[in-house]
Amino acid sequence: MLRVVGERVGHLLLVLWVVATLTFLMFRLMPGDPTLNFLSPSFNDETRTALMRSFGLDKPLWEQYLIYLGQLLRGDFGVSFLQNQPVSVLLWDALPNTAVLTVVSLVLAYAIGIVVGAFLAFRRGSVVEAFVIPTALATRAAPEFWLGMLVLAVFAFGLGWFPTGGAVSPGGTIGGVWERLFSADFWWHLCLPALTLTLFLQGLPLLLMRATMLEVLNDEFITMAKMKGLSRWSIVMRHAARNALLPVVTAFALGLGASIGGNVVIETVFAWPGIGRVLVGAVQASDYPLAQGAFIMIAFVLVVMNTVADMAYAWLDPRVSVGARK
Amino acid sequence: MLLSVRDFQVHYASRAGMVRAVDGVDLEVPAGSIVGLVGESGCGKSTLGRALMGVLPDAARVAGGSVVFEGRELVGAAERVRREVRWRRMSFIPQTAMNALDPVLRLRAQMLEVLMERGGLGRAAALARAEGLFRQVGLDPGRLGDYPHQFSGGMRQRASIALALALEPALVIADEPVTALDVIVQRQVLDVMRDLQARLGIAMILVTHDMAVVAYACDRVAVMYAGRIVEAGGAADVLERPRHPYTMGLTHAFPDVHGGTAELVPIEGSPPVLIDPKPGCRFAARCPFAVARCFAETPAMVGGVACFRAAEAPALRTAAALPATWAA
């Protein structure tokens, strides 16, 4: 088992190295000179060169790459061009916001999806199904930003129940992670973005749970459970749901990874100060270090969650052995 | 009689129409005997077995007839009565244990589930009983902690037998219990079943397509064709002196019933579609001995055989032994 975990971690590091390299190259190949954004044209050549040197941009590409890798290994993402703060500080500030939004929405979406999906599997061909499935599909297929705008139009501008954006009321301070988690204001601001993301995410677990449940209910061991005269509860919970949950759990772990980076749209619509918005701002401003940092952070979470999904599957399903030999 | 089935009907709804999968079956199972239910794929023998357990797919339903088990009528019985009978008095050994055991639960959990939820045993007693059952079917009780996929096909079948015997039923319905196994393991599993059946005095319906299995394990046999029983009687009698042409065909289509080396002869053609079956004997279209009457009237079961030419059986047997008779 230990060797297998080691192998997985090795894989993970390899993937991260590739991502780091691609990120590095991608930003160098993008059109637009970052110096244009923060170097005033009125600067003379000397100042310009001095500044370029202070950021290390005068060095050859390979040397920049080596310096970059070396710093990454030490957990140093560099200093933001624009905000003159270490990238790691900016990211650590944004990450909890994204994490809370993602985890809350995913847990809600999967809880609803699993229960409704399992219910629909039992009510196959019913009127309920004819309403719920198109609704679930429509909210899943609708563009996130449109869904977000709709939610804003109704609950913020129309009814005025919730704030229109941001994570704190005007005049408030965002505070540290713990302060945020225990602030009612923060949760109140979270409601609409989380609702939108939940609506957007619920389709997958709902349809997946329904499909796997329908499949499992046809399995011979369910027939056998009925022949054994077991109670409906035992048949559904111990045998059917337990087996049907396997792919859903994997989807959850993958969804967690994907959503961390995939919330860009919702964070923008609701001005939610998370990683996605940091990334969008950084790319627009050609803020290399910050954008790189955000990309690598997102990739890191994604790759780690993939590995977790793999291992969770092996742990839940005894038939899947991690690696060759248990 | 432990189990008496009379004019039993099971219908399947399909797009093409109603399929009469089991169409007027009579079957008797004396206490403590092994009855072979034999026939080719699609003849309705598995459906019959499942219908007796009262667990059918959604598309199927019992359409008529009577099933009297231990003096109680089961057709149309309340769910409470059915549940009382299920597994406690009548249990089931499935076709292949592959998917019949829940893949994500250890064998111990699956044994305890039956022993505790249906058998009313406490945990400690149930554990001891599970170990005893594993020993009885020739499995190491130490493997109770394994998952089904860690077992071989033969071991899974033994585990299924242990499960079926857990509550000491009076009747076990075994649906092709050895079909997926190789010949040596088949023999071992059949021996386990026969031995336990004799020791515990359990009756068994052994559903199979294999005449060799019937010859090896059964006291009595009922031959099923296209939803009906065409011949029934003592296993040795029926196998040695078949009186229905279909049974004659079956005995020549399988190796080693008599230990001889005779050429295997297939029965040409396939069974009729069971949607609105035509009148007449259902085997007539494939029967080398069919006469005009066979296509017009349905033969009734008389003296254990449903054939108009049953009186000529010895002559027909001689003819049936020649491969040329069965050439289409």
Coordinates of all heavy atoms in Angstrom, one line a residue, chain B residues 125-194:
Chain B
A125 N -24.5 -15.7 17.9 CA -25.0 -17.0 17.4 C -25.0 -17.0 15.9 O -24.6 -18.1 15.3 CB -26.5 -17.1 17.9
A126 N -25.3 -15.9 15.3 CA -25.2 -15.9 13.8 C -23.8 -16.1 13.3 O -23.7 -16.8 12.3 CB -25.8 -14.5 13.3
L127 N -22.8 -15.5 13.9 CA -21.5 -15.7 13.5 C -21.1 -17.2 13.6 O -20.5 -17.8 12.7 CB -20.5 -14.9 14.4 CG -20.0 -13.6 13.8 CD1 -19.1 -12.9 14.7 CD2 -19.2 -13.9 12.5
A128 N -21.4 -17.8 14.7 CA -21.1 -19.2 14.9 C -21.8 -20.1 13.8 O -21.2 -21.0 13.2 CB -21.5 -19.7 16.3
R129 N -23.0 -19.7 13.5 CA -23.8 -20.5 12.5 C -23.2 -20.3 11.1 O -23.1 -21.2 10.4 CB -25.3 -20.0 12.6 CG -26.1 -20.5 11.5 CD -27.0 -21.6 12.0 NE -28.0 -22.1 11.0 CZ -27.8 -23.2 10.3 NH1 -26.8 -24.0 10.5 NH2 -28.7 -23.5 9.3
A130 N -22.8 -19.0 10.9 CA -22.2 -18.7 9.5 C -20.9 -19.6 9.4 O -20.7 -20.2 8.3 CB -21.8 -17.3 9.4
E131 N -20.1 -19.7 10.4 CA -18.9 -20.5 10.4 C -19.2 -22.0 10.1 O -18.6 -22.7 9.3 CB -18.1 -20.3 11.6 CG -17.3 -19.0 11.7 CD -16.7 -18.7 13.0 OE1 -16.6 -19.6 13.8 OE2 -16.2 -17.6 13.2
G132 N -20.3 -22.5 10.9 CA -20.7 -23.8 10.7 C -21.2 -24.1 9.3 O -20.8 -25.1 8.7
L133 N -21.9 -23.2 8.7 CA -22.5 -23.3 7.3 C -21.3 -23.3 6.3 O -21.3 -24.2 5.4 CB -23.4 -22.2 7.0 CG -24.8 -22.3 7.6 CD1 -25.5 -20.9 7.6 CD2 -25.6 -23.3 6.8
F134 N -20.3 -22.5 6.5 CA -19.2 -22.5 5.6 C -18.5 -23.8 5.7 O -18.1 -24.4 4.6 CB -18.2 -21.3 6.0 CG -18.3 -20.2 5.0 CD1 -19.5 -19.7 4.6 CD2 -17.1 -19.6 4.5 CE1 -19.6 -18.6 3.7 CE2 -17.2 -18.5 3.7 CZ -18.4 -18.0 3.2
R135 N -18.3 -24.4 6.9 CA -17.7 -25.7 7.0 C -18.5 -26.7 6.3 O -17.9 -27.6 5.5 CB -17.5 -26.0 8.5 CG -16.1 -25.8 8.9 CD -15.9 -26.3 10.4 NE -15.3 -25.2 11.1 CZ -15.8 -24.5 12.0 NH1 -17.1 -24.7 12.4 NH2 -15.2 -23.5 12.6
Q136 N -19.8 -26.7 6.4 CA -20.7 -27.7 5.8 C -20.6 -27.7 4.3 O -20.7 -28.8 3.7 CB -22.2 -27.4 6.2 CG -22.6 -27.9 7.5 CD -24.1 -27.8 7.7 OE1 -24.7 -26.8 7.3 NE2 -24.7 -28.9 8.2
V137 N -20.4 -26.6 3.7 CA -20.3 -26.5 2.2 C -18.8 -26.7 1.8 O -18.5 -26.5 0.6 CB -20.9 -25.3 1.6 CG1 -22.4 -25.2 1.9 CG2 -20.2 -24.0 2.1
G138 N -17.9 -26.9 2.7 CA -16.5 -27.1 2.3 C -15.7 -25.9 2.1 O -14.8 -25.8 1.3
L139 N -16.1 -24.8 2.8 CA -15.4 -23.5 2.7 C -14.7 -23.3 4.1 O -15.2 -23.7 5.1 CB -16.3 -22.4 2.4 CG -16.8 -22.2 1.0 CD1 -17.8 -21.1 0.9 CD2 -15.7 -22.0 0.0
D140 N -13.5 -22.7 4.0 CA -12.8 -22.3 5.2 C -13.5 -21.1 5.9 O -13.6 -20.1 5.3 CB -11.3 -21.9 4.8 CG -10.5 -21.4 5.9 OD1 -11.0 -21.4 7.1 OD2 -9.4 -20.9 5.7
P141 N -13.9 -21.3 7.1 CA -14.6 -20.2 7.8 C -13.7 -18.9 7.9 O -14.3 -17.8 8.0 CB -14.9 -20.8 9.2 CG -14.8 -22.2 9.1 CD -13.8 -22.5 8.0
G142 N -12.4 -19.1 7.8 CA -11.5 -18.0 7.8 C -11.7 -17.0 6.6 O -11.3 -15.9 6.7
R143 N -12.4 -17.6 5.6 CA -12.6 -16.7 4.4 C -13.9 -15.9 4.5 O -14.3 -15.3 3.5 CB -12.7 -17.6 3.1 CG -11.5 -18.5 3.0 CD -10.3 -17.9 2.3 NE -10.5 -17.1 1.2 CZ -10.1 -17.4 -0.1 NH1 -9.5 -18.5 -0.3 NH2 -10.3 -16.5 -1.1
L144 N -14.6 -16.0 5.6 CA -15.8 -15.2 5.8 C -15.6 -13.7 5.6 O -16.5 -12.9 5.2 CB -16.5 -15.4 7.1 CG -17.4 -16.6 7.2 CD1 -17.7 -17.0 8.7 CD2 -18.7 -16.3 6.5
G145 N -14.3 -13.3 5.9 CA -14.0 -11.9 5.8 C -13.7 -11.4 4.4 O -13.4 -10.3 4.1
D146 N -13.7 -12.4 3.4 CA -13.4 -12.0 2.0 C -14.6 -11.4 1.3 O -15.8 -11.5 1.7 CB -13.0 -13.3 1.3 CG -11.6 -13.7 1.6 OD1 -11.0 -13.2 2.5 OD2 -11.1 -14.7 0.9
Y147 N -14.3 -10.7 0.2 CA -15.3 -10.2 -0.7 C -15.6 -11.2 -1.8 O -14.7 -12.0 -2.1 CB -14.8 -8.9 -1.3 CG -14.8 -7.7 -0.3 CD1 -13.6 -7.4 0.3 CD2 -15.9 -7.1 0.0 CE1 -13.5 -6.3 1.2 CE2 -15.9 -6.0 0.9 CZ -14.7 -5.6 1.5 OH -14.7 -4.6 2.4
P148 N -16.7 -11.2 -2.4 CA -17.1 -12.2 -3.4 C -16.0 -12.3 -4.5 O -15.7 -13.4 -5.0 CB -18.4 -11.7 -3.9 CG -19.0 -11.0 -2.8 CD -17.9 -10.3 -2.1
H149 N -15.4 -11.2 -4.9 CA -14.5 -11.3 -6.0 C -13.2 -12.0 -5.7 O -12.4 -12.3 -6.5 CB -14.2 -9.9 -6.6 CG -13.3 -9.1 -5.7 ND1 -13.8 -8.4 -4.6 CD2 -12.0 -8.9 -5.7 CE1 -12.8 -7.8 -4.0 NE2 -11.7 -8.1 -4.6
Q150 N -13.0 -12.2 -4.4 CA -11.8 -13.0 -4.0 C -12.0 -14.5 -4.0 O -11.1 -15.2 -3.7 CB -11.4 -12.5 -2.6 CG -10.9 -11.1 -2.6 CD -10.7 -10.5 -1.1 OE1 -11.7 -10.4 -0.4 NE2 -9.5 -10.1 -0.8
F151 N -13.2 -14.9 -4.3 CA -13.6 -16.3 -4.4 C -13.5 -16.8 -5.8 O -13.8 -16.0 -6.8 CB -15.0 -16.5 -3.9 CG -15.1 -16.7 -2.4 CD1 -14.1 -16.2 -1.5 CD2 -16.2 -17.4 -1.8 CE1 -14.2 -16.4 -0.2 CE2 -16.2 -17.6 -0.4 CZ -15.2 -17.1 0.4
S152 N -13.3 -18.1 -6.0 CA -13.4 -18.7 -7.4 C -14.9 -18.9 -7.6 O -15.7 -18.8 -6.7 CB -12.6 -20.0 -7.4 OG -13.2 -20.9 -6.6
G153 N -15.2 -19.3 -8.9 CA -16.6 -19.6 -9.2 C -17.2 -20.7 -8.4 O -18.3 -20.6 -7.9
G154 N -16.4 -21.7 -8.1 CA -16.9 -22.9 -7.3 C -17.1 -22.4 -5.9 O -18.1 -22.8 -5.3
M155 N -16.2 -21.6 -5.4 CA -16.3 -21.1 -4.0 C -17.6 -20.2 -3.8 O -18.3 -20.3 -2.8 CB -15.1 -20.4 -3.5 CG -13.9 -21.3 -3.3 SD -12.4 -20.4 -3.3 CE -12.4 -19.6 -1.7
R156 N -17.8 -19.4 -4.8 CA -19.0 -18.5 -4.8 C -20.2 -19.3 -4.8 O -21.2 -19.0 -4.1 CB -19.0 -17.6 -6.0 CG -18.1 -16.3 -5.8 CD -18.5 -15.3 -6.8 NE -18.1 -15.6 -8.1 CZ -17.0 -15.2 -8.6 NH1 -16.1 -14.5 -8.0 NH2 -16.6 -15.6 -9.9
Q157 N -20.2 -20.4 -5.6 CA -21.4 -21.3 -5.6 C -21.6 -22.0 -4.3 O -22.7 -22.1 -3.8 CB -21.2 -22.3 -6.8 CG -22.6 -22.8 -7.3 CD -23.4 -21.7 -7.9 OE1 -23.0 -20.9 -8.7 NE2 -24.7 -21.7 -7.4
R158 N -20.5 -22.4 -3.7 CA -20.6 -23.0 -2.3 C -21.2 -21.9 -1.3 O -22.0 -22.3 -0.5 CB -19.3 -23.5 -1.8 CG -18.8 -24.7 -2.5 CD -17.3 -25.0 -2.2 NE -16.8 -26.0 -3.0 CZ -16.6 -27.3 -2.6 NH1 -17.0 -27.7 -1.4 NH2 -16.1 -28.2 -3.5
A159 N -20.7 -20.7 -1.4 CA -21.2 -19.7 -0.5 C -22.7 -19.4 -0.7 O -23.4 -19.3 0.2 CB -20.4 -18.3 -0.8
S160 N -23.1 -19.5 -2.0 CA -24.5 -19.3 -2.3 C -25.3 -20.5 -1.7 O -26.5 -20.3 -1.2 CB -24.8 -19.3 -3.8 OG -24.4 -18.0 -4.3
I161 N -24.8 -21.7 -1.7 CA -25.4 -22.8 -1.1 C -25.5 -22.6 0.4 O -26.6 -22.8 1.0 CB -24.7 -24.1 -1.5 CG1 -24.8 -24.4 -3.0 CG2 -25.3 -25.3 -0.7 CD1 -23.8 -25.5 -3.4
A162 N -24.4 -22.2 1.0 CA -24.5 -21.9 2.4 C -25.6 -20.9 2.8 O -26.3 -21.1 3.8 CB -23.1 -21.4 2.9
L163 N -25.7 -19.9 1.9 CA -26.7 -18.8 2.2 C -28.1 -19.5 2.1 O -29.0 -19.2 2.9 CB -26.6 -17.7 1.2 CG -25.6 -16.6 1.5 CD1 -25.4 -15.7 0.3 CD2 -26.2 -15.8 2.7
A164 N -28.3 -20.3 1.1 CA -29.6 -20.9 0.8 C -30.0 -21.8 2.0 O -31.2 -22.0 2.3 CB -29.6 -21.7 -0.5
L165 N -29.0 -22.5 2.6 CA -29.3 -23.4 3.7 C -29.4 -22.7 5.1 O -29.7 -23.4 6.1 CB -28.2 -24.5 3.7 CG -28.1 -25.4 2.5 CD1 -27.0 -26.4 2.7 CD2 -29.4 -26.1 2.2
A166 N -29.0 -21.4 5.1 CA -28.9 -20.7 6.4 C -30.1 -20.9 7.3 O -29.9 -21.1 8.5 CB -28.6 -19.3 6.1
L167 N -31.3 -20.8 6.8 CA -32.4 -20.8 7.7 C -33.2 -22.2 7.7 O -34.3 -22.3 8.0 CB -33.4 -19.7 7.3 CG -32.8 -18.3 7.2 CD1 -33.8 -17.3 6.8 CD2 -32.1 -18.0 8.5
E168 N -32.4 -23.2 7.2 CA -33.0 -24.6 7.2 C -34.3 -24.7 6.5 O -35.3 -25.0 7.1 CB -33.1 -25.2 8.6 CG -31.7 -25.2 9.2 CD -31.7 -25.7 10.7 OE1 -32.8 -25.5 11.3 OE2 -30.7 -26.2 11.1
P169 N -34.4 -24.3 5.2 CA -35.7 -24.4 4.5 C -36.1 -25.8 4.2 O -35.3 -26.7 4.3 CB -35.3 -23.6 3.2 CG -33.9 -23.9 3.0 CD -33.3 -24.0 4.3
A170 N -37.3 -26.0 3.8 CA -37.8 -27.3 3.4 C -37.6 -27.5 1.9 O -37.5 -28.7 1.5 CB -39.3 -27.4 3.7
L171 N -37.5 -26.4 1.2 CA -37.3 -26.6 -0.3 C -36.3 -25.6 -0.8 O -36.3 -24.4 -0.4 CB -38.6 -26.3 -1.0 CG -38.6 -26.3 -2.5 CD1 -38.3 -27.7 -3.1 CD2 -39.9 -25.8 -3.1
V172 N -35.3 -26.1 -1.6 CA -34.4 -25.2 -2.2 C -34.5 -25.2 -3.7 O -34.6 -26.3 -4.3 CB -32.9 -25.5 -1.8 CG1 -31.9 -24.7 -2.6 CG2 -32.7 -25.4 -0.3
I173 N -34.7 -24.1 -4.4 CA -34.8 -24.1 -5.8 C -33.4 -23.7 -6.3 O -32.9 -22.6 -6.0 CB -35.9 -23.1 -6.3 CG1 -37.2 -23.5 -5.8 CG2 -35.9 -23.0 -7.8 CD1 -38.3 -22.5 -5.9
A174 N -32.8 -24.5 -7.1 CA -31.4 -24.2 -7.6 C -31.5 -24.0 -9.1 O -31.9 -24.9 -9.8 CB -30.5 -25.4 -7.3
D175 N -31.2 -22.8 -9.5 CA -31.4 -22.4 -10.9 C -30.0 -22.5 -11.6 O -29.2 -21.7 -11.5 CB -31.9 -20.9 -11.0 CG -32.2 -20.5 -12.4 OD1 -32.1 -21.4 -13.3 OD2 -32.5 -19.3 -12.6
E176 N -29.9 -23.6 -12.4 CA -28.6 -23.8 -13.1 C -27.4 -23.7 -12.2 O -26.5 -22.9 -12.5 CB -28.4 -22.9 -14.3 CG -29.6 -22.9 -15.3 CD -29.3 -23.9 -16.4 OE1 -28.4 -24.7 -16.3 OE2 -30.1 -23.9 -17.4
P177 N -27.4 -24.3 -11.0 CA -26.3 -24.0 -10.0 C -24.9 -24.4 -10.5 O -24.0 -23.8 -9.9 CB -26.7 -24.9 -8.8 CG -27.5 -26.0 -9.4 CD -28.2 -25.5 -10.6
V178 N -24.8 -25.2 -11.4 CA -23.4 -25.6 -11.8 C -23.0 -25.3 -13.2 O -22.0 -25.6 -13.7 CB -23.1 -27.1 -11.5 CG1 -23.3 -27.4 -10.1 CG2 -24.1 -28.0 -12.4
T179 N -23.9 -24.5 -13.9 CA -23.7 -24.3 -15.3 C -22.5 -23.5 -15.7 O -21.8 -23.8 -16.6 CB -25.0 -23.5 -15.9 OG1 -26.1 -24.3 -15.6 CG2 -24.8 -23.3 -17.4
A180 N -22.1 -22.5 -14.8 CA -20.9 -21.7 -15.2 C -19.6 -22.3 -14.7 O -18.6 -21.7 -14.8 CB -21.1 -20.3 -14.5
L181 N -19.7 -23.5 -14.2 CA -18.5 -24.1 -13.6 C -17.9 -25.2 -14.5 O -18.6 -25.8 -15.3 CB -18.8 -24.8 -12.2 CG -19.5 -23.8 -11.3 CD1 -19.9 -24.6 -10.0 CD2 -18.6 -22.7 -10.9
D182 N -16.6 -25.5 -14.4 CA -16.0 -26.5 -15.2 C -16.4 -27.9 -14.6 O -16.9 -28.0 -13.5 CB -14.5 -26.4 -15.3 CG -13.8 -26.6 -14.0 OD1 -13.9 -27.7 -13.5 OD2 -13.1 -25.6 -13.5
V183 N -16.2 -28.9 -15.4 CA -16.8 -30.2 -15.1 C -16.4 -30.8 -13.7 O -17.2 -31.3 -13.0 CB -16.5 -31.2 -16.2 CG1 -17.1 -32.6 -15.9 CG2 -17.0 -30.7 -17.6
I184 N -15.1 -30.6 -13.4 CA -14.6 -31.1 -12.1 C -15.3 -30.4 -10.9 O -15.8 -31.0 -10.0 CB -13.1 -31.0 -12.0 CG1 -12.5 -32.0 -13.1 CG2 -12.6 -31.4 -10.7 CD1 -11.1 -31.7 -13.4
V185 N -15.4 -29.1 -11.0 CA -16.0 -28.3 -10.0 C -17.5 -28.6 -9.9 O -18.1 -28.6 -8.9 CB -15.7 -26.8 -10.2 CG1 -16.3 -26.0 -9.0 CG2 -14.2 -26.6 -10.2
Q186 N -18.1 -28.8 -11.1 CA -19.5 -29.1 -11.2 C -19.8 -30.3 -10.3 O -20.7 -30.3 -9.5 CB -19.9 -29.5 -12.6 CG -20.3 -28.4 -13.5 CD -20.9 -28.8 -14.8 OE1 -21.1 -30.0 -15.0 NE2 -21.2 -27.9 -15.7
R187 N -18.9 -31.3 -10.5 CA -19.1 -32.6 -9.7 C -19.0 -32.3 -8.2 O -19.8 -32.8 -7.4 CB -18.0 -33.6 -10.2 CG -18.0 -34.9 -9.5 CD -19.3 -35.7 -9.8 NE -19.4 -36.1 -11.2 CZ -19.2 -37.3 -11.7 NH1 -18.9 -38.3 -10.9 NH2 -19.3 -37.6 -13.0
Q188 N -18.0 -31.5 -7.9 CA -17.8 -31.2 -6.4 C -19.0 -30.5 -5.8 O -19.5 -30.8 -4.8 CB -16.5 -30.4 -6.2 CG -15.2 -31.1 -6.6 CD -14.1 -30.1 -6.6 OE1 -14.2 -28.9 -6.6 NE2 -12.9 -30.7 -6.8
V189 N -19.5 -29.5 -6.6 CA -20.6 -28.7 -6.1 C -21.9 -29.6 -6.0 O -22.6 -29.5 -5.0 CB -20.8 -27.4 -6.9 CG1 -22.1 -26.7 -6.5 CG2 -19.6 -26.5 -6.8
L190 N -22.1 -30.4 -7.0 CA -23.2 -31.3 -7.0 C -23.2 -32.2 -5.8 O -24.2 -32.5 -5.2 CB -23.3 -32.1 -8.3 CG -23.9 -31.3 -9.5 CD1 -23.8 -32.2 -10.8 CD2 -25.3 -30.9 -9.2
D191 N -21.9 -32.7 -5.5 CA -21.8 -33.6 -4.4 C -22.1 -32.9 -3.1 O -22.8 -33.5 -2.2 CB -20.3 -34.1 -4.3 CG -20.1 -35.2 -5.4 OD1 -21.1 -35.8 -5.9 OD2 -18.9 -35.5 -5.7
V192 N -21.7 -31.7 -2.9 CA -22.0 -30.9 -1.7 C -23.5 -30.8 -1.6 O -24.1 -31.1 -0.5 CB -21.4 -29.5 -1.8 CG1 -21.9 -28.7 -0.7 CG2 -19.9 -29.6 -1.7
M193 N -24.2 -30.5 -2.7 CA -25.6 -30.3 -2.7 C -26.3 -31.6 -2.3 O -27.3 -31.6 -1.5 CB -26.1 -29.7 -4.0 CG -25.8 -28.3 -4.2 SD -26.1 -27.6 -5.9 CE -27.8 -28.0 -6.0
R194 N -25.9 -32.6 -3.0 CA -26.6 -33.9 -2.8 C -26.4 -34.4 -1.3 O -27.3 -34.9 -0.7 CB -26.0 -35.0 -3.7 CG -27.1 -35.7 -4.5 CD -26.5 -36.5 -5.6 NE -25.3 -37.2 -5.4 CZ -24.9 -38.3 -6.1 NH1 -25.7 -38.7 -7.1 NH2 -23.8 -38.9 -5.9

